[in-house]
Amino acid sequence: MSAVIEVNGLQKRYGSRAALQGISFCVHKGEIFGLLGANGAGKTTALACMEGLLARDGGSIAVRGRMGVQLQSAALPEHIRAMEAVRLFAGWKRAAVDGATLEALGIHEIARKQYRTLSTGQKRRLHLAIALLGDPEILFLDEPAAGLDVEGRSALHALIRALRQQGKTIILASHDMAEVEELCDRIAILRAGRIAFLGTVRELTAKLGKHYNIVVQSARGSERFETDDIETALPKLLARYREAGVPIADLQVNRGTLEQHFLQIAGGDFA
């Protein structure tokens, strides 16, 4: 697969603090690439450098294709109407306005509303509509589903999949592990300005083990256990309860989630 983004030895400092310490990765054409990191890990800095919004202090970045960028926030005038903003950016980009995309994002419903009156979710949809102007080949999406309701998230995810089917490359930064697991082909997890993991979700699970969670409800209350070897651990656990004379009222076994794996590698809170 051809790489449309190549990052080699990227470094960025803020005074004496090294935000990025020589990270390297590539993003292939037509894939959805997830960029994850806890607070202060360097995720937002890496995005800004790739987008050309922040100067790097070392290393190189190659981006091959037209870019569309959806930021977490945008400095749009408070009184501009949603459709006016779309037309304004379309004029700057000399791009046609795609009615089907606006319909999919629900822009027609908020077309005459002023930017200051929009909800967080409505602003996110407007930012994405602007990012898609000019038919970009590479999309940077920073928390695209933030503030959306269940129906809005479902529609957005369907649109992201459709964009990938059209051959677009998508770099997705998200704190929603379920979203990342559902959409991303590969992920990079940053920790303290370095890449702690790079690969698929399946490879991450294999790296850390299956990590089963066992929840037992008994007269002693709810007790939780963790194991990577369910076939060995579960019979032993049941035997311990039986030997102690404690009847089990309920038992649940769940596979470890991407969120648990993320916490194990990245540490800290999501960013």
Side-chain angles (χ1 to χ4, degrees):
M1 297 176 66
S2 58
V4 295
I5 297 177
E6 290 187 79
V7 177
N8 291 297
L10 179 59
Q11 300 176 38
K12 179 63 184 178
R13 302 187 68 87
Y14 296 108
S16 61
R17 185 175 72 86
L20 296 174
Q21 303 186 57
I23 66 171
S24 300
F25 61 90
C26 64
V27 181
H28 302 303
K29 178 177 174 57
E31 78 171 335
I32 300 178
F33 185 88
L35 191 59
L36 316 178
N39 288 316
K43 170 179 65 73
T44 299
T45 298
L47 278 177
C49 289
M50 286 188 286
E51 293 162 352
L53 301 176
L54 190 63
R56 62 188 183 275
D57 293 324
S60 64
I61 301 173
V63 180
R64 304 180 180 96
R66 297 186 306 277
M67 292 193 304
V69 178
Q70 180 208 37
L71 302 174
Q72 284 198 45
S73 60
L76 290 173
E78 288 191 353
H79 298 288
I80 194 170
R81 300 183 188 278
M83 200 61 207
E84 288 175 342
V86 171
R87 293 194 181 101
L88 176 64
F89 280 89
W92 283 344
K93 294 184 177 183
R94 298 181 180 179
V97 176
D98 183 1
T101 299
L102 297 185
E103 182 67 29
L105 290 170
I107 302 302
H108 294 312
E109 302 168 8
I110 60 172
R112 296 185 57 80
K113 290 186 177 182
Q114 293 183 341
Y115 186 72
R116 65 182 179 86
T117 68
L118 300 180
S119 67
T120 300
Q122 289 171 334
K123 288 179 179 178
R124 304 299 292 148
R125 287 190 275 135
L126 176 59
H127 299 162
L128 180 53
I130 292 172
L132 287 169
L133 289 169
D135 192 26
E137 298 162 300
I138 302 168
L139 273 172
F140 291 90
L141 306 182
D142 196 353
E143 306 289 355
L148 297 181
D149 57 21
V150 175
E151 184 178 351
R153 287 168 59 85
S154 178
L156 175 64
H157 289 177
L159 176 60
I160 290 175
R161 292 191 196 93
L163 292 170
R164 176 174 57 181
Q165 290 176 353
Q166 294 171 19
K168 298 187 187 300
T169 304
I170 299 169
I171 295 84
L172 172 68
S174 176
H175 72 280
D176 186 334
M177 297 300 105
E179 177 175 69
V180 169
E181 190 166 13
E182 180 182 349
L183 293 175
C184 293
D185 299 300
R186 290 190 302 136
I187 60 176
I189 299 178
L190 297 181
R191 181 171 187 169
R194 300 180 186 274
I195 292 181
F197 174 82
L198 176 63
T200 66
V201 172
R202 180 173 295 181
E203 289 169 342
L204 175 59
T205 302
K207 177 183 177 69
L208 296 176
K210 296 181 179 179
H211 198 68
Y212 289 90
N213 298 297
I214 305 171
V215 180
V216 180
Q217 298 286 348
S218 70
R220 298 193 305 217
S222 177
E223 296 175 292
R224 183 183 297 272
F225 307 89
E226 295 183 1
T227 181
D228 288 338
D229 185 359
I230 191 67
E231 293 181 359
T232 300
L234 188 55
K236 289 183 177 179
L237 182 62
L238 295 175
R240 282 164 48 189
Y241 274 85
R242 186 167 53 252
E243 291 168 2
V246 179
I248 295 176
D250 188 30
L251 183 145
Q252 296 179 350
V253 179
N254 299 306
R255 286 288 301 275
T257 64
L258 178 59
E259 179 174 328
Q260 292 165 336
H261 296 323
F262 173 85
L263 287 172
Q264 187 172 341
I265 287 186
D269 297 326
F270 299 144

